[in-house]
Amino acid sequence: MFEPVHGSAPDIAGKGIANPIAAILSVAMMLDHLELPALAERVRQAVEKTLSSGAKTPDLGGELTTEQMGDAVLANL
Protein backbone atom coordinates (compact mmCIF):
# COMPACT_ATOMS: atom_id res chain seq x y z
CA MET A 1 0.00 0.00 0.00
CA PHE A 2 2.93 2.35 0.49
CA GLU A 3 5.05 2.61 -2.61
CA PRO A 4 6.30 5.25 -5.00
CA VAL A 5 3.90 5.65 -7.89
CA HIS A 6 6.43 6.28 -10.65
CA GLY A 7 6.54 2.68 -11.82
CA SER A 8 9.18 -0.02 -11.93
CA ALA A 9 11.50 1.65 -14.48
CA PRO A 10 12.42 -1.57 -16.32
CA ASP A 11 14.78 0.38 -18.58
CA ILE A 12 17.16 0.98 -15.67
CA ALA A 13 16.50 -2.18 -13.64
CA GLY A 14 19.69 -3.76 -12.34
CA LYS A 15 21.90 -0.84 -13.34
CA GLY A 16 22.15 0.67 -9.85
CA ILE A 17 21.17 4.13 -11.04
CA ALA A 18 17.61 4.37 -9.70
CA ASN A 19 16.93 7.05 -7.11
CA PRO A 20 15.57 5.31 -3.96
CA ILE A 21 14.33 8.52 -2.30
CA ALA A 22 10.67 8.04 -3.28
CA ALA A 23 10.70 4.50 -1.91
CA ILE A 24 12.34 5.70 1.31
CA LEU A 25 9.78 8.49 1.72
CA SER A 26 6.99 5.95 1.25
CA VAL A 27 8.30 4.35 4.45
CA ALA A 28 7.68 7.68 6.19
CA MET A 29 4.11 7.64 4.88
CA MET A 30 3.66 4.14 6.26
CA LEU A 31 5.01 5.19 9.64
CA ASP A 32 2.58 8.11 9.71
CA HIS A 33 -0.26 5.69 8.93
CA LEU A 34 0.92 3.43 11.76
CA GLU A 35 0.74 6.47 14.06
CA LEU A 36 4.49 6.66 14.51
CA PRO A 37 5.01 10.31 13.55
CA ALA A 38 8.35 10.72 15.32
CA LEU A 39 9.87 7.87 13.34
CA ALA A 40 8.32 9.17 10.13
CA GLU A 41 9.88 12.57 10.77
CA ARG A 42 13.29 10.96 11.38
CA VAL A 43 13.08 9.35 7.95
CA ARG A 44 12.10 12.64 6.30
CA GLN A 45 14.87 14.51 8.09
CA ALA A 46 17.43 11.88 7.07
CA VAL A 47 16.40 12.30 3.43
CA GLU A 48 16.57 16.09 3.71
CA LYS A 49 20.00 15.98 5.36
CA THR A 50 21.28 13.55 2.74
CA LEU A 51 20.10 15.67 -0.17
CA SER A 52 21.35 18.87 1.49
CA SER A 53 24.80 17.34 1.81
CA GLY A 54 24.97 17.05 -1.97
CA ALA A 55 24.35 13.31 -2.28
CA LYS A 56 22.77 12.70 -5.69
CA THR A 57 21.96 9.85 -8.02
CA PRO A 58 22.41 10.28 -11.79
CA ASP A 59 18.86 11.57 -12.31
CA LEU A 60 19.77 14.54 -10.10
CA GLY A 61 23.14 15.11 -11.72
CA GLY A 62 25.16 13.02 -9.29
CA GLU A 63 27.11 9.81 -9.41
CA LEU A 64 25.85 7.77 -6.44
CA THR A 65 24.43 4.33 -7.07
CA THR A 66 21.07 3.30 -5.71
CA GLU A 67 22.77 1.41 -2.90
CA GLN A 68 25.09 4.28 -2.05
CA MET A 69 22.18 6.70 -1.84
CA GLY A 70 20.27 4.31 0.43
CA ASP A 71 23.35 3.94 2.62
CA ALA A 72 23.74 7.73 2.76
CA VAL A 73 20.17 8.16 3.98
CA LEU A 74 20.64 5.35 6.50
CA ALA A 75 23.77 7.03 7.84
CA ASN A 76 21.73 10.17 8.52
CA LEU A 77 18.96 8.42 10.48
Side-chain angles (χ1 to χ4, degrees), residues 18-28 31 39-57 60 64-77:
N19 187 334
I21 295 297
I24 293 168
L25 289 174
S26 69
V27 171
L31 292 168
L39 291 176
E41 186 58 26
R42 280 186 65 194
V43 171
R44 283 190 281 275
Q45 287 178 358
V47 168
E48 183 177 342
K49 187 174 181 181
T50 301
L51 293 172
S52 294
S53 74
K56 297 177 186 174
T57 48
L60 299 175
L64 293 183
T65 65
T66 304
E67 185 175 354
Q68 289 169 330
M69 181 62 107
D71 288 346
V73 173
L74 185 59
N76 285 307
L77 270 177

